[in-house]
Each structure stands twice: as C-alpha cells, then as structure tokens.
C-alpha cells in the first residue's frame, strides 16, 4: 500500500540556519514525489516535484529535495531559512492518487 | 493555485443540513481530487474523479458523502445530514494529464 511518513511533527530552527525535512515513502513502482507548503488558513502550494531524471530537484523559494531510491526517501532542504518559511510542509507521493504525509510544522526562531 | 477555484471559502451548516462544496478547475484540468484536512492532521484522500467518472472513491465515507464532476460545470462534493464530525477543511486539487496537482484555497466547513 502507498504511504508517506514524515517523522517530525514539529521542527524549530533559527533564522539563517539550514533545514532538512524528512520524508519516507512506500510505493509499488517508481513514484512521483512532491513537496507542498501550507500557510495558516491557506491552500497548498507546490514547492517542487520529482517525476524522473536528475534525483536532485530544485524548487521555488530556494528549496531543493533529493530522491534516494535505496532509502525510499525524498528529503527537503534549504541552506538558509527565512522567517517567512514558517509554515506546514507536506510530502506526497503518487500518480493517479496522491497520498500525503501528516506534515511537519516548521517554526523559525529570530 | 493555477486557477482552481473553490467556493464557498467558509460554510456554516446546522446538524442535519446538507453541505455542497464546489470546485472549478482551470480549463484542460480534467482530473479532480477531494481531500479532507482536520486540525493538526495531514490531508486525507477522499475521491478522485475525471469528467463524469469516479476513478477512486476509496477514501469516501460510505454514507452521506458523494461527489460528482459533470461534463459541464464544477465538481461538487456533497455531504448530506451533516454532523459535527464533518467540520473540517475540504480541499480540491486538479491536474491535467501528466502534470502536478494544483490546489484550491479550500472550503472550511463548520457544523453547529
């Protein structure tokens, strides 16, 4: 069965520090992988996606993610976070049906 | 949001009433998904539709919930005889063939 695990419910980092949000998935074939961001009271915005090809994908707002098939992971990274990055981040997997993880809420310390 | 419009943004219903949530994807996006989000939880898949067809409704409750995506007009998620536990944010996502899904702003349903 398809599933997505985001092991960290909350993460707190200082502004300017680097960030890595973890995502592990279970999927029967080569997956399509996504990261979305949700600000409070808002819908979801796509940060980046992996369909095929280069396993390091670049997204908007300075985010990147690396697909590691051997680890069934698709971790999201940013070298230096900004206060405006505080939000909830969702990893998702699927092609026809897209399954979401439970999300990681990112808090930024000034 | 690439033109995915959901309305209303907020909906208040009394217990026992019907709730109708609408999703209008942009032209050419014929794949529509409905998700439910409860506080502090992720998005739970409900149903996947293509024009006039339900592809996957494995996440839909067996009773009171239905969805459609007619040839003309928006996709509708209908909840009959609402109960307090139906209070949640309901998101619609839409995509074309082999593209990523774009989300609407959601409808926040409150059952009083």
């Amino acid at each position: 069965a398809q599933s997505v695990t985001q092991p960290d419910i909350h993460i707190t980092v200082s502004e300017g520090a680097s960030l890595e949000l973890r995502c592990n998935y279970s999927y029967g074939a080569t997956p399509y992988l996504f990261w979305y961001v949700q600000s409070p009271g808002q819908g979801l915005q796509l940060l980046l996606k992996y369909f095929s090809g280069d396993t390091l994908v670049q997204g908007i707002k300075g985010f990147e993610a690396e697909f590691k098939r051997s680890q069934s992971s698709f971790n999201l990274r940013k070298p230096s976070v900004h206060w405006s990055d505080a939000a909830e981040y969702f990893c998702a997997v699927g092609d026809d049906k897209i399954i979401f993880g439970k999300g990681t809420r990112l808090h930024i310390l000034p | 949001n690439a033109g995915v419009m959901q309305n209303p943004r907020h909906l208040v219903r009394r217990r026992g009433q019907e709730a109708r949530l609408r999703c209008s994807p942009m032209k050419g996006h014929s794949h529509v998904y409905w998700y439910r989000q409860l506080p502090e939880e992720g998005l739970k898949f409900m149903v996947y539709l293509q024009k006039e067809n339900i592809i996957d409704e494995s996440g839909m409750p067996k009773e009171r919930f239905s969805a459609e995506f007619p040839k003309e007009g928006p996709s509708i998620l209908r909840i009959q005889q609402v109960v307090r536990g139906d209070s949640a944010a309901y998101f619609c996502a839409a995509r074309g063939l082999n593209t990523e899904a774009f989300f609407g702003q959601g409808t926040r349903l409150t059952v009083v």
Side-chain angles (χ1 to χ4, degrees):
Chain A
Q2 302 169 18
S3 66
V4 179
T5 302
Q6 293 181 249
D8 304 304
I9 298 174
H10 295 271
I11 280 189
T12 301
V13 298
S14 298
E15 189 168 18
S18 63
L19 171 71
E20 182 169 30
L21 302 182
R22 295 183 291 165
C23 173
N24 293 94
Y25 65 88
S26 173
Y27 195 76
T30 301
Y32 292 174
L33 295 158
F34 310 87
W35 275 99
Y36 286 85
V37 61
Q38 184 182 34
S39 298
Q42 300 297 313
L44 279 76
Q45 181 182 21
L46 181 70
L47 285 175
L48 48 77
K49 62 184 184 287
Y50 171 79
F51 284 359
S52 64
D54 192 347
T55 56
L56 183 63
V57 294
Q58 302 296 321
I60 62 171
K61 304 185 180 185
F63 286 92
E64 66 177 26
E66 186 171 11
F67 168 53
K68 292 186 177 180
R69 185 189 303 275
S70 61
Q71 298 177 19
S72 297
S73 70
F74 189 57
N75 294 349
L76 182 71
R77 300 193 293 250
K78 186 169 184 177
S80 176
V81 297
H82 187 263
W83 64 267
S84 60
D85 293 325
E88 188 142 25
Y89 292 80
F90 293 96
C91 181
V93 63
D95 43 31
D96 279 352
K97 184 167 85 175
I98 303 172
I99 304 298
F100 284 81
K102 294 199 173 191
T104 297
R105 188 172 296 277
L106 176 63
H107 306 270
I108 307 293
L109 295 176
Chain B
N1 298 327
V4 180
M5 302 300 295
Q6 286 189 251
N7 65 81
R9 290 291 308 276
H10 299 273
L11 181 62
V12 179
R13 285 288 177 265
R14 296 186 184 277
R15 280 178 296 170
Q17 291 185 317
E18 179 179 283
R20 290 169 64 91
L21 288 62
R22 288 178 291 277
C23 170
S24 299
M26 67 181 296
K27 188 176 180 181
H29 284 189
S30 60
H31 302 247
V32 164
Y33 305 81
W34 285 94
Y35 292 85
R36 177 163 62 179
Q37 185 179 36
L38 293 168
E40 306 302 319
E41 294 192 16
L43 282 82
K44 299 290 188 185
F45 169 82
M46 299 182 75
V47 62
Y48 165 36
L49 311 104
Q50 291 183 33
K51 281 288 186 180
E52 301 183 273
N53 294 304
I54 296 175
I55 307 301
D56 184 334
E57 57 181 349
S58 58
M60 288 280 271
K62 298 298 182 203
E63 298 177 346
R64 302 188 297 109
F65 284 71
S66 63
E68 63 177 7
F69 190 17
K71 186 176 181 180
E72 300 292 337
S75 175
I76 305 288
L77 178 67
R78 181 186 302 167
I79 311 172
Q80 297 176 300
Q81 300 171 12
V82 295
V83 301
R84 288 237 171 95
D86 297 332
S87 296
Y90 292 85
F91 288 94
C92 166
R95 66 177 180 88
L97 191 62
N98 295 327
T99 67
E100 66 267 25
F102 296 93
F103 280 79
Q105 294 284 322
T107 294
R108 280 150 185 85
L109 172 65
T110 302
V111 180
V112 297

